[in-house]
Amino acid sequence: MGKSLKCPKCHSENPENSRFCNDCGSSLDVKAAPDPKGQPSLTKTLETPIPPLKKGTLFANRYKIGGEIGRGGMGVVFKAEDTKLKRTVALKLLPFEQSQSPEAKKRFMREAQAAAALDHTHICTVYEVEEHDGQMYIAMAYIDGMSLKARIVQKPLKIKEALDIALQVAEGLGEAHRKGVIHRDIKPANIMLATRGGVKIMDFGLARMAGAIDLTRTDAVMGTVAYMSPEQVLGQKVDHRTDIWSFGCMVYEMLAGQGPFQGGHEQAVFQAIVHGEPEPIAALMSDIPAGLAGVLEQCLQKNALNRYLDFQALLQDLKAVDLRDVASAPAPSSHKPSTSIAVLPFTNMSPDKEQDYFAEGIAEELLNALARIHDLRVMARTSAFALKGMNLDIREIGRRLDVKAVLEGSVRKAGNRLRVTAQLINVEDGFHLWSDRYDRDMADIFAIQDEITAAIVDSLKVTLKVGEKTALRKRSTDDPEAYNLYLKGLYFLARPSPDSYEKAVGFFRAAIDKDPHFAQAYAGMGQVFAFLGAFNFAPPAEMLPKAKAAIEKALSLDENLSEAHSAAGMVAHWLEWDWEAAARSYDRALALNPGDAMAHANRGWFLVTMNRYDEAVREIKKALELDPLMPLYYAWSVGIHMSVARTDEALQELARAMEIDPNFVLTHYFAGYSYMRKGLWDEAIDGLERMKRLTVIPGWAEGVLAGIYYLKGDHKKAEQVLEEMIEQKKTIKETSSFYIGMAAGFLDRLDLAFEFLDKAYEERDIMLALIHTHAAIWPSSMSADPRYKAFLAKMKLDF
């Protein structure tokens, strides 16, 4: 059998003399260079070199090459003479990979044809799109001048010059959008400053017709990272507002000399775009007009709904910019919310004490609604509700939770009649900012909540962004009975235990029976199943399909439901090990609700899995900032610091965790692990034995204890623990196979270790998401075993 060539893209075998892959059309000449961190590149690279064309060469029997004038990810541009029409053109040759792919060829032809139909002063004219000897090319007008990128490199533009360029680009893009063409790659390199004729928008190579099916690969992220919108880098559907975001990035760079989102590498820029906030332009320029600063702020809204509706509206604001009206420099903390609030659990005044769930539920729904406001920091549920029944002074509550205002209230429910009271109190002086009482029917509960949130926003003088007013009034059901059942489900969801979770599922199901289109109830059920699997309260492999089905149903009913995206992130990360899906879900959840402490905390663990340690630590700190009395996050902070080899910091976090809740199970688990990594055997054993007495999670403490006994030199005790775990597994199937494998590895019983690791894989044991952090303390014989490397590859953690 003759030799064959393996495709660097799809890994299929091809005949030895092949130039292109028979399956995917990729070039077989040059392999793509891997990203140094093992991450997929976010930008399209020129994987196949364009053949050199010497000056004077006649290309396609028509174009006389004058020389190369540009090179980028989507091809090479030559200056050429059209010998038929006797005019100078810019000739762009596309990579062979795109030229050989039927789908890419269709796309380029269709979109280039769309761009060719554009006839505007500020858009470069496309003359033709053709193919010659298997090489696709685009012929367009040649612009004599320099790119905006080159102009910015010289020095930042003066405000009047930048405004003039921005107006011309906005006019050109406005015309493209009116014709249904979205550019998708607006950046300074694609804007030419012509010697004569003003500004020209170039390179519609990534353009797409609005509403058309995108023929590029569905998992491809197209464009230039620093100018991509959040929805673009997340691989979501984009519309014309992605160009508005990119336009804002470009104008910002014209003025500041740097883009609004910085980073040392593409992944860092990716994170900055999705989660970071740019430095306000007024902080960088003392003479920026207020109107222009306002335009940039609205262009760079992460939620596309909050950006300009179209370029017509944007142009009106640009034309109205008064160069004499200089914006005030923002205070250093201007990027933070202007005020903060804690919503305390409402007091149940009903004769029936079982109505506690209803009082808590109303407060939680108010809290969740307010959390959607970006200019308001809302204390998370756990911390706010932890003070229930303490009878603390309002000033003390404000000090403990670090908030400026507190909302408290009461609920009396008798039959279908409600009495709800609420009062908003200023922490600093204890005075009421607002209060009211509502005597209504149960059917009016939604209207009551809307009125309370509106009163809070008004009293705190919070400015709502476009779309936030609608978000405050958004609800998943109009059925009061279904809503009542949903509140009961939330009540038990907030009390982690197998029994509570079983009750939560029952109430969510009952709510769905009343209203089959109740998206939040489906999301709640998905969260329960995800937590049951993640905390090992039930077999993860059994919980995975249940959680996925509920979450997918929730998102089919409401794709902007943040709690559903957060739960989807948990499932993809801990149970499916689909790292790309987990990243998208966590990012989407936090884009919709930046105050979601659980999403931040879970994303912290995800970043540990991805070996992005500094970011992981920042995420758990953000979760604690939002929810400073949550025992779980303190325990996770110990665990994350320990997992990223910051053991001393982990023990510092342990002291804080013990102050919050000395009996929290996971705190003792991570304490034992942290002491183990410090070589403090007795302290480690003490912490893990405490966990065993408190826990309903079988196997976790035992697996680490076996390792400690082995490292301490007590091999007989380690062997005893391992045998006990194997016996326990026969009757308690939730016993962690991962930790049995870990214990066997310490004892150098490698066949047994990998047998149980394979079993853990079948069972979807969540600890496999952190296998490489555990491996840091394993015997070298296990880590060096080829089966370990193969296992990492199977988990897609071999980076």
Side-chain angles (χ1 to χ4, degrees):
M1 185 176 176
K3 293 181 180 179
S4 63
L5 294 176
K6 180 173 284 189
C7 175
K9 278 283 187 179
C10 68
H11 308 295
S12 63
E13 299 293 336
N14 294 270
E16 183 180 7
N17 61 351
S18 299
R19 291 179 60 203
F20 305 104
C21 176
N22 291 333
D23 289 338
C24 71
S26 300
S27 169
L28 301 177
D29 296 333
V30 180
K31 290 186 177 181
D35 181 89
K37 292 187 177 294
Q39 298 290 342
S41 177
L42 294 178
T43 52
K44 193 72 175 173
T45 56
L46 186 60
E47 294 173 353
T48 307
I50 302 297
L53 294 178
K54 295 181 180 179
K55 186 175 181 179
T57 301
L58 192 65
F59 180 81
N61 301 316
R62 177 172 180 174
Y63 299 103
K64 187 176 181 180
I65 301 299
E68 182 177 322
I69 57 175
R71 179 177 288 263
M74 299 301 291
V76 176
V77 182
F78 297 88
K79 182 179 179 181
E81 178 189 0
D82 184 341
T83 58
K84 289 185 178 180
L85 298 177
K86 302 299 181 183
R87 61 184 176 189
T88 302
V89 301
L91 193 68
K92 181 172 183 176
L93 274 64
L94 303 173
F96 277 108
E97 180 182 343
Q98 277 76 29
S99 298
Q100 298 305 304
S101 166
E103 288 187 350
K105 189 183 297 186
K106 286 180 187 177
R107 173 185 176 277
F108 280 121
M109 289 295 291
R110 185 194 67 210
E111 305 304 352
Q113 288 165 357
L118 298 176
D119 182 16
H120 191 271
T121 304
H122 300 305
I123 296 177
C124 178
T125 303
V126 174
Y127 296 138
E128 73 166 352
V129 183
E130 273 300 346
E131 183 178 359
H132 175 70
D133 289 343
Q135 182 86 58
M136 291 193 69
Y137 66 91
I138 301 174
M140 64 192 90
Y142 173 77
I143 308 299
D144 185 19
M146 69 187 304
S147 72
L148 178 57
K149 179 180 179 179
R151 172 65 186 82
I152 293 173
V153 168
Q154 293 178 350
K155 63 178 180 178
L157 284 72
K158 292 183 179 180
I159 293 172
K160 190 176 185 306
E161 182 183 2
L163 183 58
D164 184 51
I165 293 171
L167 284 164
Q168 294 179 65
V169 174
E171 287 174 357
L173 287 173
E175 174 64 17
H177 288 183
R178 278 190 290 274
K179 294 290 181 65
V181 179
I182 307 166
H183 191 286
R184 296 202 296 179
D185 198 21
I186 291 298
K187 58 184 178 182
N190 283 339
I191 306 298
M192 285 295 294
L193 308 180
T195 304
R196 294 186 299 274
V199 172
K200 299 285 186 181
I201 304 171
M202 309 291 294
D203 204 344
F204 278 75
L206 290 184
R208 182 171 69 84
M209 290 293 289
I213 297 174
D214 195 344
L215 296 175
T216 55
R217 287 170 49 221
T218 55
D219 60 344
V221 179
M222 309 294 288
T224 305
V225 174
Y227 307 92
M228 286 184 185
S229 62
E231 61 269 23
Q232 207 172 359
V233 296
L234 292 174
Q236 298 168 353
K237 292 180 181 178
V238 300
D239 60 18
H240 64 283
R241 287 168 295 196
T242 197
D243 282 352
I244 291 175
W245 169 283
S246 302
F247 173 85
C249 292
M250 185 189 70
V251 175
Y252 187 108
E253 187 174 351
M254 278 197 284
L255 296 164
Q258 64 180 39
F261 301 99
Q262 303 292 311
H265 52 84
E266 286 181 340
Q267 291 291 337
V269 178
F270 176 104
Q271 296 303 320
I273 290 170
V274 176
H275 297 298
E277 293 294 338
E279 186 77 5
I281 193 69
L284 302 176
M285 302 183 67
S286 60
D287 55 348
I288 188 75
L292 187 52
V295 167
L296 288 177
E297 182 180 1
Q298 190 161 350
C299 286
L300 297 177
Q301 291 296 312
K302 296 192 186 299
N303 187 336
L305 295 173
N306 295 336
R307 295 176 211 148
Y308 284 98
L309 180 64
D310 52 33
F311 269 98
Q312 183 177 354
L314 193 158
L315 269 167
Q316 289 179 352
D317 282 0
L318 275 180
K319 291 176 179 178
V321 169
D322 184 350
L323 297 176
R324 299 166 298 177
D325 182 17
V326 177
S328 301
S333 60
S334 63
H335 65 285
K336 296 180 180 179
S338 61
T339 191
S340 51
I341 185 173
V343 180
L344 302 184
F346 280 28
T347 303
N348 174 28
M349 304 297 290
S350 308
D352 182 1
K353 291 305 174 185
E354 290 188 4
Q355 292 294 333
D356 279 355
Y357 75 85
F358 189 76
E360 278 197 17
I362 288 178
E364 182 160 358
E365 284 295 281
L366 289 169
L367 184 155
N368 290 336
L370 294 168
R372 298 187 181 108
I373 302 174
H374 284 65
D375 200 31
L376 182 63
R377 182 169 65 87
V378 182
M379 187 54 52
R381 178 196 190 282
T382 314
S383 293
F385 283 28
L387 305 181
K388 183 178 181 179
M390 290 189 179
N391 296 319
L392 296 175
D393 179 80
I394 286 294
R395 293 178 182 83
E396 176 62 15
I397 292 173
R399 186 191 67 78
R400 290 196 185 192
L401 300 181
D402 188 26
V403 293
K404 295 180 180 179
V406 169
L407 179 73
E408 61 178 15
S410 65
V411 179
R412 180 182 293 274
K413 186 172 182 286
N416 286 326
R417 291 294 295 174
L418 285 176
R419 169 171 290 180
V420 178
T421 66
Q423 45 272 340
L424 184 67
I425 304 169
N426 183 23
V427 166
E428 186 175 359
D429 54 22
F431 288 159
H432 282 60
L433 298 171
W434 162 87
S435 65
D436 209 339
R437 188 180 82 181
Y438 305 87
D439 290 303
R440 308 277 182 85
D441 289 333
M442 178 64 190
D444 293 326
I445 183 60
F446 305 117
I448 294 172
Q449 290 176 344
D450 289 347
E451 291 176 34
I452 292 175
T453 53
I456 292 169
V457 168
D458 185 59
S459 299
L460 295 179
K461 296 179 172 56
V462 175
T463 301
L464 296 180
K465 297 182 183 297
V466 177
E468 286 184 344
K469 187 175 291 186
T470 302
L472 285 178
R473 294 194 299 269
K474 181 180 176 182
R475 62 179 67 96
S476 287
T477 186
D478 291 316
D479 187 324
E481 190 173 345
Y483 182 69
N484 196 22
L485 291 164
Y486 169 71
L487 293 182
K488 289 183 179 181
L490 286 183
Y491 181 85
F492 289 105
L493 176 61
R495 289 157 172 79
S497 75
D499 289 342
S500 288
Y501 283 161
E502 184 178 351
K503 293 176 181 176
V505 168
F507 284 120
F508 288 138
R509 279 189 176 135
I512 291 166
D513 288 341
K514 291 295 298 179
D515 182 355
H517 301 289
F518 196 171
Q520 284 180 300
Y522 283 107
M525 193 151 61
Q527 286 177 305
V528 175
F529 290 134
F531 280 125
L532 282 168
F535 288 132
N536 232 40
F537 291 157
E542 294 178 16
M543 295 300 102
L544 172 58
K546 294 180 179 181
K548 282 197 70 173
I551 293 165
E552 287 172 1
K553 180 64 175 178
L555 291 173
S556 72
L557 293 167
D558 184 355
E559 64 177 10
N560 292 319
L561 199 58
S562 62
E563 51 261 53
H565 286 288
S566 181
M570 283 184 61
V571 170
H573 176 206
W574 294 115
L575 302 178
E576 286 188 289
W577 311 318
D578 184 339
W579 315 130
E580 292 180 2
R584 286 195 300 270
S585 294
Y586 285 139
D587 289 341
R588 181 66 172 148
L590 290 170
L592 291 166
N593 183 3
D596 187 341
M598 180 60 77
H600 280 290
N602 264 312
R603 187 171 181 276
W605 277 116
F606 171 70
L607 293 168
V608 172
T609 298
M610 295 292 101
N611 287 345
R612 288 156 57 186
Y613 295 158
D614 290 343
E615 295 173 79
V617 170
R618 286 198 293 271
E619 286 290 353
I620 193 61
K621 287 182 176 178
K622 180 64 175 178
L624 284 168
E625 177 188 321
L626 291 165
D627 205 349
L629 299 181
M630 174 60 145
L632 176 63
Y633 301 154
Y634 282 96
W636 278 1
S637 184
V638 178
I640 286 176
H641 281 86
M642 177 273 297
S643 297
V644 302
R646 299 183 184 181
T647 313
D648 290 336
E649 292 176 60
L651 293 176
Q652 292 173 9
E653 293 297 294
L654 174 61
R656 298 173 65 202
M658 293 296 285
E659 288 178 11
I660 293 294
D661 187 347
N663 294 315
F664 191 68
V665 169
L666 288 180
T667 300
H668 294 292
Y669 167 75
F670 289 121
Y673 221 136
S674 299
Y675 284 127
M676 177 190 187
R677 296 195 72 159
K678 287 287 287 185
L680 300 172
W681 312 129
D682 293 340
E683 291 87 342
I685 292 171
D686 180 63
L688 291 164
E689 288 293 346
R690 288 189 185 187
M691 181 193 180
K692 284 175 62 179
R693 292 192 293 270
L694 294 168
T695 191
V696 291
I697 307 174
W700 288 20
E702 292 87 341
V704 183
L705 278 168
I708 294 172
Y709 287 126
Y710 178 86
L711 294 172
K712 190 180 179 184
D714 192 346
H715 294 190
K716 183 178 179 180
K717 182 67 172 177
E719 188 76 45
Q720 179 187 337
V721 173
L722 171 60
E723 295 302 328
E724 289 173 352
M725 292 175 72
I726 293 173
E727 281 300 310
Q728 180 178 277
K729 180 73 174 175
K730 295 176 182 178
T731 55
I732 305 176
K733 61 182 179 180
E734 289 85 6
T735 301
S736 173
S737 292
F738 172 85
Y739 280 110
I740 296 177
M742 177 175 164
F746 271 106
L747 289 160
D748 209 29
R749 296 175 60 179
L750 298 188
D751 289 342
L752 183 65
F754 286 105
E755 175 189 336
F756 273 95
L757 284 183
D758 286 336
K759 192 172 184 63
Y761 188 91
E762 294 172 8
E763 296 171 346
R764 317 305 293 183
D765 192 311
I766 69 162
M767 280 300 165
L768 287 177
L770 300 170
I771 185 172
H772 52 321
T773 65
H774 287 80
I777 61 168
W778 286 351
S780 57
S781 59
M782 187 168 178
S783 299
D785 193 295
R787 287 172 290 184
Y788 174 64
K789 294 181 176 62
F791 200 89
L792 284 184
K794 183 165 69 170
M795 292 288 299
K796 297 181 181 177
L797 290 173
D798 52 338
F799 41 72

